[in-house]
Amino acid sequence: MAKMKPKIVVISGLTASGKTALSILLAKQFNAEIISADSRQVYRGLDIGTAKITPDEMQGVPHHCLDIVDPVTNTRYSVGDFQRDAYRIIDEIIARGKVPFLVGGTGLYTRAIINGYGFDEQPNQPRYDVLQICLTPPKAVIAPKVQQRNEERVAQGMFEETKDLLARGVSTDFLYKLGLEYRLNVRYLQGEIDLATYYDELYHQTMQFIKRQRTWYRKEDVNCTHYLTDPQDYYTTASQLIKDFLA
């Protein structure tokens, strides 16, 4: 008889789709710990621009893979690094008798765990039994949230955060490679674009990024992935899916 694989829950989906808020509700219900699957939130000091969850928003739910790399070193954190760290943390969470939740919108990170990516020409070796809940609300729902989120983050001090990063020695090249907010923040701070252009470009570039995310998530494994499109039904549907999966 084949040995049963440990179970993990993945909450993935589009930028501004509501992954963070949903994951907290569900993590509290199912005694879970959360591993962040976001390629930019691993860096310390990149908080506002990455919409990183705050300690208050965590509501006591343990989080992992946040603030683990110093951007001053300009060290890139790879998908292989993430897979190594996530495997170790998942096993530790399971050993504590809790449920591992993998939460984030970096599709390469989540798929590296779901499919058990092999590197250096090694075959894929999936380690876990996976339930993936993928949030893909329509553009009409996402677009106003993106607009609001951009304005809120500027008001919260996103430009000041970028100034501090540069003052600490984080290179403009590093911030440029992070794309979206940080690239445009640098361009605005250097006087290359005015505020109106900044908002316009950030909105349109974010919506283009979300379009690419939609294409990526359409190719997920249908055997383990459930797509949720209505935010009003997220919690009820996801809660039932997880109950059935863990039973």
Side-chain angles (χ1 to χ4, degrees):
M1 183 176 175
K3 183 180 178 182
M4 291 183 65
K5 294 178 181 178
K7 294 183 176 183
I8 67 169
V9 174
V10 177
I11 301 175
S12 61
L14 310 177
T15 293
S17 61
K19 297 182 295 293
T20 298
L22 177 65
S23 69
I24 294 298
L25 288 172
L26 293 169
K28 292 171 73 174
Q29 179 181 356
F30 291 101
N31 191 29
E33 297 188 23
I34 291 174
I35 301 164
S36 170
D38 187 298
S39 62
R40 302 190 304 169
Q41 293 184 3
V42 298
Y43 296 106
R44 287 191 290 277
L46 278 69
D47 301 329
I48 301 171
T50 64
K52 190 180 294 176
I53 190 169
T54 67
D56 285 345
E57 290 168 342
M58 291 178 187
Q59 297 183 40
V61 175
H63 280 65
H64 307 274
C65 289
L66 296 172
D67 300 325
I68 58 175
V69 183
D70 184 357
V72 175
T73 64
N74 296 321
T75 301
R76 303 298 295 182
Y77 185 82
S78 71
V79 63
D81 294 329
F82 175 77
Q83 186 193 63
R84 176 202 64 220
D85 291 341
Y87 279 165
R88 172 181 54 79
I89 295 164
I90 287 169
D91 293 345
E92 290 170 354
I93 292 170
I94 291 169
R96 289 192 283 272
K98 301 178 81 173
V99 181
F101 276 18
L102 190 63
V103 180
T106 300
L108 190 61
Y109 279 18
T110 52
R111 203 177 285 179
I113 303 303
I114 294 168
N115 295 347
Y117 277 173
F119 297 98
D120 300 321
E121 300 183 0
Q122 296 298 310
N124 291 356
Q125 292 184 315
R127 293 190 179 194
Y128 308 109
D129 186 6
V130 178
L131 167 66
Q132 178 168 214
I133 297 167
C134 188
L135 308 185
T136 55
K139 183 178 179 180
V141 171
I142 287 279
K145 290 187 175 181
V146 168
Q147 198 92 45
Q148 179 183 0
R149 188 167 100 147
N150 291 344
E151 293 172 3
E152 287 177 347
R153 287 188 293 173
V154 168
Q156 290 166 0
M158 185 162 62
F159 293 146
E160 289 74 19
E161 175 178 274
T162 305
K163 285 181 185 177
D164 289 344
L165 290 167
L166 292 168
R168 284 172 47 204
V170 178
S171 72
T172 55
D173 181 62
F174 182 86
L175 293 176
Y176 255 74
K177 287 178 180 177
L178 292 174
L180 289 175
E181 299 87 357
Y182 289 102
R183 179 184 299 157
L184 289 168
N185 290 349
V186 171
R187 291 184 62 203
Y188 172 74
L189 292 172
Q190 292 181 338
E192 293 180 21
I193 54 175
D194 61 20
L195 191 58
T197 303
Y198 171 87
Y199 277 124
D200 184 63
E201 290 198 17
L202 181 55
Y203 172 77
H204 286 100
Q205 289 182 27
T206 302
M207 294 305 295
Q208 283 296 315
F209 176 69
I210 289 170
K211 186 176 181 180
R212 293 193 296 273
Q213 285 182 310
R214 286 190 192 279
T215 300
W216 175 277
Y217 285 122
R218 286 192 196 106
K219 300 174 184 176
E220 294 298 85
D221 183 351
V222 295
N223 294 310
C224 70
T225 304
H226 296 261
Y227 296 95
L228 305 187
T229 60
D230 186 350
Q232 293 187 339
D233 295 335
Y234 281 174
Y235 176 72
T236 302
T237 305
S239 177
Q240 190 59 55
L241 287 169
I242 296 171
K243 281 181 185 176
D244 294 343
F245 175 66
L246 296 178

